[in-house]
Amino acid sequence: MTVLDGLFEIQRKIDPSLSFRCSCRVGMCGSCAMVVNYEPRLACQTRVEKLKSAVINVAPLHHYPVMKDLVVDMAPFFDQWKKGRPSLHPAIKGNKKLAIVPPDSEFGKHAAHKRDCITCGACYSACSIPGSNPDYLGPAAINKSLLRLLDPRDSLVADRLQAVNSETGVWRCHAQFNCVAACPKSIPLTDSIMYLKRNLARPGKFNDKLSDPNTAH
Ligand code: SF4
Ligand code: FES
């Protein structure tokens, strides 16, 4: 039995008004993220047996307005997500050529471990910074922005650099690693933030790809 199964059982047998979100039930959609025994987790991926506790405490994610019971308004997460400019802005519009990303390229190496974000918002809940600074981009938005900055197919460099290289971007992170511990996809979020901190000091680092014909797809 998972925590999500338990919530359905309570809804069926004790309180039909109990509200919570879920969709895929296999750890893919991210909608069932909540705080279980004081840590943000996916309810559908958390087995009751593994928690080894007689009483299981469930609560809505931190840093989000509560709409009802375990349902939160995800707007704070997606407001920041949008600031990191997550969509692809192709360097060549209408290009039909298949983009090949060599796995040993810089982008290929980062993407292999960092591309599986399901926008569950658990990392944002686990991070202590949004509590004192709601304008902080947050780990998921920064990680996504880094992937786009490294992506040779993408051309929107200046706007993304402006978002991440700011007081509310990577420089606000205190490297507490809470986001990494919470991420159900094991994305090394702090690695992305530290990588950006190091490389933002290198002039031209992310703009170089715009003038390199070998990276334009
Ligand atoms: Fe969820 Fe991980 Fe994506 Fe954060 S980075 S939103 S914890 S999947
Ligand atoms: Fe989709 Fe849990 S219901 S991740």
Side-chain angles (χ1 to χ4, degrees):
M1 175 181 264
T2 64
V3 170
L4 186 62
D5 294 328
L7 291 171
F8 272 117
E9 196 73 358
I10 293 168
Q11 196 184 52
R12 268 188 223 111
K13 297 185 176 163
I14 304 171
D15 181 0
S17 77
L18 179 65
S19 300
F20 52 91
R21 277 203 192 101
C22 71
S23 181
C24 70
R25 302 180 77 165
V26 290
M28 282 175 65
C29 72
S31 62
C32 68
M34 61 185 68
V35 177
V36 179
N37 280 3
Y38 314 105
E39 289 176 26
R41 306 171 198 249
L42 296 181
C44 73
Q45 297 298 289
T46 305
R47 287 179 57 199
V48 168
E49 188 187 19
K50 290 244 166 121
L51 290 172
K52 297 195 188 313
S53 63
V55 176
I56 296 171
N57 184 295
V58 286
L61 290 175
H62 303 302
H63 308 316
Y64 300 89
V66 177
M67 298 175 83
K68 185 173 184 300
D69 301 333
L70 299 165
V71 177
V72 295
D73 178 358
M74 294 295 287
F77 176 86
F78 284 108
D79 286 348
Q80 301 308 329
W81 178 258
K82 280 187 270 182
K83 285 188 200 163
R85 309 302 295 271
S87 21
L88 185 78
H89 289 253
I92 305 170
K93 288 200 172 53
N95 187 15
K96 299 276 188 283
K97 196 173 148 198
L98 181 68
I100 296 168
V101 177
D104 58 349
S105 65
E106 190 177 28
F107 174 50
K109 284 186 204 156
H110 281 269
H113 306 293
K114 297 175 177 174
R115 69 184 161 200
D116 289 336
C117 176
I118 54 173
T119 59
C120 68
C123 54
Y124 191 81
S125 172
C127 178
S128 63
I129 306 299
S132 58
N133 190 330
D135 290 329
Y136 173 49
L137 277 184
I142 293 173
N143 178 68
K144 184 70 179 179
S145 211
L146 169 66
L147 291 181
R148 290 294 187 221
L149 282 167
L150 293 175
D151 190 333
R153 299 164 300 173
D154 190 278
S155 61
L156 194 82
V157 175
D159 287 8
R160 289 205 183 87
L161 287 180
Q162 200 178 6
V164 297
N165 191 13
S166 68
E167 276 187 36
T168 53
V170 296
W171 306 110
R172 185 57 56 194
C173 170
H174 293 184
Q176 294 170 335
F177 286 82
N178 293 342
C179 55
V180 178
C183 179
K185 295 295 169 187
S186 306
I187 298 174
L189 297 152
T190 311
D191 180 80
S192 293
I193 296 169
M194 300 312 281
Y195 177 89
L196 274 165
K197 283 185 177 179
R198 284 194 302 275
N199 284 282
L200 285 170
R202 292 173 59 194
K205 161 70 185 160
F206 297 103
N207 282 297
D208 283 353
K209 69 178 182 181
L210 299 177
S211 52
D212 183 353
N214 295 317
T215 59
H217 292 283

